[in-house]
């Protein structure tokens, strides 16, 4: 079982319990090397000293646009020890999208890769355009540079700072379906609680080897890597590949015990002949995240690897995991698991709401997000009396499993009737030819909206519009069957692998 208290007071205290009993235990593995708890603790303090020497103060926003490796982890932990506010800048974003995050957050220091730095200096991003603030940009590459020079010059002494665990510590920008992203703001307490509850409820301890490949510029991924593994006294394994063979190699070679991935990668692992069943033999838990995983995909994965895919439901605003299937694989078809022990799901007018548990050992541990950065109107709409209104529609069954029907904002009102895109998409995924699909509503003068679907077929597969329509007619009420069909080679996706729905209606014009 875990050697760490349920919830450390601050992230600066995260590594101390293991350092005290087993300082040489492996804490982190990346493509660059391996670090013990003592080494990672020392480097995190050096990072805080380095940021302070660069002029960062408590409350300042520090942005990171870096690949999955040691630097992005040190920059995050250094910012936390200093009391700064972390802002992840995903490297895949377009220059105007990066610019918006920098301006909206009021970032003062950006640590980034050479490509993002070049976008700034080339004028593709005009630092401070909306906020009026100057953003200092440091390129972080292998070898000498301002960031690594600052780290090298920093003392080894522990960085001591009086941190308020309930003050803003990280901003997670939501992808959204319309308009500009909103910055869900979390305290250090918020960021520590999910890992503590996962470890406590799943019996994790020093043998945990948690593998992740999604970008650590996503705040949820910082939560699910070192913040989670360290609270169990285990190891965080950070992958630098996202292809099925590369992921399988990381899992096999590093003896990963817990791994999570999106449905598309789970499907690829199940069907790629270059990935052998033994490659994933060390896994105790496989989680689906970043979208609905069709039941046929779950079945194919379990048939090949002998391991169930555990369904989850999470939110940037939570942050991260809200519900998850039991470790033994107990699953409700169409469900997304049961709440972690510090949470409860309330259904208010069919909308799913997240609140602190009112009974049990962990009652009252959960604190909702602090709000959306500089968006009091959106905060008031989403947070009401300490309850997070998710905008998702669904229900909780008699066994406590959550079932998500769809996003409230995605429901199509056709002739006065509600049509849920997720319901149609699940039916289409029953066809083996379908790789991915997305249902959207198109404006209609008479009906209000008509149902349209974009479909991506699997490589080498063929299926006609008529064949897929007949399948829908056999499984859905006629008014739910799409009237407009479009076949695409690929979908626009965000950093979590989710389809960017807001870009789809234009494809039908």
């Amino acid at each position: 079982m875990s050697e760490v208290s349920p919830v450390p007071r601050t992230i600066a205290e995260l590594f101390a319990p293991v350092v005290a009993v087993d300082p040489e235990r492996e804490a982190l593995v990346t493509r660059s090397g391996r670090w013990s708890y003592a080494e990672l603790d020392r480097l995190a303090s050096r990072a805080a000293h380095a940021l302070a020497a660069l002029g960062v103060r408590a409350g300042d926003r520090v942005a990171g646009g870096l690949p999955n490796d040691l630097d992005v982890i040190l920059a995050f932990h250094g910012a936390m020890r200093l009391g700064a506010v972390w802002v992840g800048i995903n490297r895949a974003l377009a220059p105007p999208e990066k610019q918006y995050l920098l301006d909206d957050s009021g970032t003062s220091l950006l640590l980034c890769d050479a490509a993002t730095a070049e976008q700034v200096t080339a004028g593709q991003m005009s630092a401070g355009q909306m906020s009026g603030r100057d953003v200092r940009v440091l390129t972080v590459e292998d070898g000498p540079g301002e960031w690594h020079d600052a780290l090298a010059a920093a003392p080894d002494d522990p960085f001591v700072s009086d941190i308020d665990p309930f003050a803003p510590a990280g901003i997670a920008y939501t992808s959204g379906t319309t308009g500009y992203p909103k910055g869900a703001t979390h305290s250090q307490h918020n960021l520590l609680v999910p890992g503590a509850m996962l470890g406590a409820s799943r019996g994790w301890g020093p043998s945990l080897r948690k593998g992740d490949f999604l970008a650590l510029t996503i705040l949820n991924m910082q939560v699910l890597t070192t913040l989670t593994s360290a609270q169990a006294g285990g190891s965080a394994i950070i992958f630098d590949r996202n292809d099925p063979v590369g992921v399988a190699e990381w899992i096999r070679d590093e003896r990963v015990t817990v791994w999570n991935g999106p449905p598309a990668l789970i499907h690829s692992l199940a069907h790629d002949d270059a990935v052998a069943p033994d490659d994933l033999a060390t896994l105790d838990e496989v989680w689906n995240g970043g979208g609905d995983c069709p039941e046929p995909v779950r079945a194919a994965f379990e048939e090949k690897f002998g391991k169930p895919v555990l369904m989850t439901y999470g939110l940037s605003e939570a942050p991260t995991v809200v519900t998850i299937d039991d470790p033994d694989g107990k699953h409700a078809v169409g469900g997304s698991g049961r709440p972690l022990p510090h949470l409860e799901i309330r259904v208010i007018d069919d909308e799913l709401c997240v609140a602190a548990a009112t009974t049990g050992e962990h009652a009252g541990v959960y604190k909702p997000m602090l709000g959306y950065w500089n968006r009091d109107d959106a905060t008031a709409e989403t947070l009401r009396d300490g309850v997070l209104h998710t905008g998702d529609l669904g229900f909780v069954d008699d066994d406590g499993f959550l079932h998500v029907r769809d996003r409230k904002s995605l429901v199509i009102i056709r002739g006065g009737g509600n049509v849920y895109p997720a319901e149609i998409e699940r039916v289409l995924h029953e066809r083996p030819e379908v790789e991915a699909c997305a249902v959207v509503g198109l404006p209609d003068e008479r009906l209000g909206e008509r149902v349209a679907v974009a479909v991506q077929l699997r490589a080498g597969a063929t299926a006609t519009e008529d064949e897929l329509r007949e399948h829908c007619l056999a499984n859905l009420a006629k008014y739910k069957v799409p009237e407009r069909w479009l076949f695409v080679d690929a979908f626009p996706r965000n950093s979590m692998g989710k389809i960017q729905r807001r870009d789809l209606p234009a494809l039908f014009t």
Side-chain angles (χ1 to χ4, degrees):
M1 294 293 289
S2 171
E3 302 164 353
V4 184
S5 60
V7 184
R9 180 179 175 274
T10 69
I11 292 172
E13 301 167 281
L14 180 65
F15 303 132
V18 179
V19 171
V21 297
D22 189 4
E24 298 309 309
R25 185 185 304 170
E26 187 173 83
L28 175 68
V29 179
T30 76
R31 69 175 177 86
S32 295
R34 301 171 184 274
W35 291 270
S36 69
Y37 271 86
E39 290 170 329
L40 191 55
D41 186 51
R42 177 177 59 83
L43 288 171
S45 275
R46 289 181 72 113
H49 283 295
L51 290 171
L54 291 166
V56 177
R57 299 293 179 261
D60 288 350
R61 272 71 72 201
V62 174
L66 297 166
N68 278 10
D69 210 336
L70 179 65
D71 282 311
V72 70
I73 294 167
L74 292 187
F76 171 79
H77 279 276
M80 295 300 99
R81 294 190 178 199
L82 185 59
V85 180
W86 176 259
V87 182
I89 306 291
N90 195 278
R91 296 187 302 147
L93 295 176
E97 294 175 305
K98 294 175 181 175
Q99 179 65 61
Y100 177 81
L101 303 191
L102 294 174
D103 289 338
D104 186 69
S105 63
T107 288
S108 59
L109 176 67
L110 169 63
L111 303 171
C112 62
D113 61 355
T116 299
E118 185 177 351
Q119 290 168 353
V120 176
T121 57
Q124 290 177 280
M125 295 165 56
S126 53
Q129 175 183 344
M130 293 174 62
S131 65
R133 299 168 61 99
D134 291 329
V135 181
R136 185 175 183 183
V137 181
L138 298 187
T139 304
V140 180
E141 300 288 355
D142 294 336
E146 282 187 275
W147 171 243
H148 288 149
D149 289 348
L151 279 175
D156 278 333
D157 301 335
F159 189 90
V160 179
S161 180
D162 186 15
I163 303 297
D164 179 357
F166 299 101
I171 304 176
Y173 277 93
T174 62
S175 56
T177 54
T178 60
Y180 289 108
K182 300 188 297 290
T185 307
H186 292 288
S187 65
Q188 292 201 18
H189 176 85
N190 290 150
L191 300 179
L192 286 164
V193 167
M197 295 301 104
L198 283 164
S201 62
R202 306 181 92 72
W204 290 342
S207 63
L208 174 68
R209 296 182 66 79
K210 190 168 185 305
D212 289 282
F213 75 94
L214 292 170
L216 293 181
T217 48
I218 302 168
L219 186 61
N220 278 358
M221 296 314 301
Q222 292 284 3
V223 171
L224 290 173
T225 52
T226 56
L227 299 196
T228 290
S229 61
Q231 291 188 80
S235 304
I237 316 296
I238 309 301
F239 303 2
D240 65 340
R241 291 178 64 178
N242 60 9
D243 60 292
V245 172
V247 166
E249 288 177 353
W250 268 100
I251 292 171
R252 181 193 65 215
D253 295 346
E254 293 298 332
R255 307 179 314 284
V256 171
T257 59
V258 177
W259 174 80
N260 57 281
L265 185 52
I266 290 171
H267 173 273
S268 295
L269 289 166
H271 293 91
D272 193 325
D273 291 338
V275 177
D278 287 348
D279 290 337
L280 274 57
T282 61
L283 287 176
D284 297 322
E285 295 186 36
V286 178
W287 304 356
N288 168 74
D292 185 33
C293 187
E295 293 294 337
V297 173
R298 294 185 69 255
F301 187 95
E302 185 166 8
E303 181 179 357
K304 179 174 181 178
F305 298 108
K307 305 174 191 297
V309 176
L310 308 182
M311 299 300 291
T312 67
Y313 171 73
L315 299 161
S316 298
E317 291 87 349
T320 191
V321 180
V322 173
T323 66
I324 185 169
D325 278 340
D326 298 344
D328 62 7
K330 185 175 182 181
H331 171 71
V333 174
S336 299
R338 294 190 269 211
L340 289 178
H342 65 303
L343 298 172
E344 66 180 34
I345 301 294
R346 301 178 188 173
V347 182
I348 303 174
D349 295 330
D350 292 331
E351 183 180 12
L352 301 174
C353 300
V354 179
T358 54
T359 60
E361 178 185 357
H362 303 293
V365 170
Y366 173 70
K367 308 294 181 188
M369 70 167 180
L370 302 181
Y372 292 115
W373 188 261
N374 292 333
R375 292 287 298 275
D376 291 343
D377 55 342
T379 299
E381 181 180 348
T382 302
L383 285 179
R384 304 173 216 165
D385 298 323
V387 176
L388 174 66
H389 290 247
T390 69
D392 289 328
L393 302 176
F395 65 96
V396 177
D397 67 23
D398 292 341
D399 293 320
F401 285 91
L402 174 67
H403 296 254
V404 182
R405 298 181 70 179
D406 222 324
R407 288 290 296 172
K408 190 174 182 179
S409 60
L410 296 180
V411 174
I412 300 166
I413 311 298
R414 182 190 183 279
N418 288 358
V419 177
Y420 298 96
E423 182 180 11
I424 303 168
E425 291 161 7
R426 279 194 286 270
V427 168
L428 283 169
H429 274 297
E430 294 172 357
R431 293 288 299 236
E433 304 95 338
V434 175
E435 172 76 23
C437 61
V439 173
V440 295
L442 300 180
D444 183 81
E445 183 176 351
R446 185 174 70 87
L447 294 173
E449 289 182 287
R450 290 186 183 273
V451 182
V453 63
V455 178
Q456 177 186 346
L457 297 178
R458 302 198 191 285
T462 59
T464 66
E465 176 183 325
D466 288 342
E467 289 171 336
L468 296 181
R469 181 184 288 108
E470 286 300 318
H471 179 71
C472 289
L473 283 168
N475 293 277
L476 295 166
K478 187 176 181 180
Y479 74 92
K480 299 178 183 179
V481 176
E483 298 168 72
R484 293 283 304 278
W485 293 74
L486 178 70
F487 289 87
V488 299
D489 294 328
F491 281 103
R493 295 179 181 271
N494 65 15
S495 57
M496 290 290 288
K498 293 182 179 180
I499 294 171
Q500 295 281 65
R501 291 177 183 269
R502 64 184 176 190
D503 297 334
L504 298 180
L507 301 178
F508 289 88
T509 59

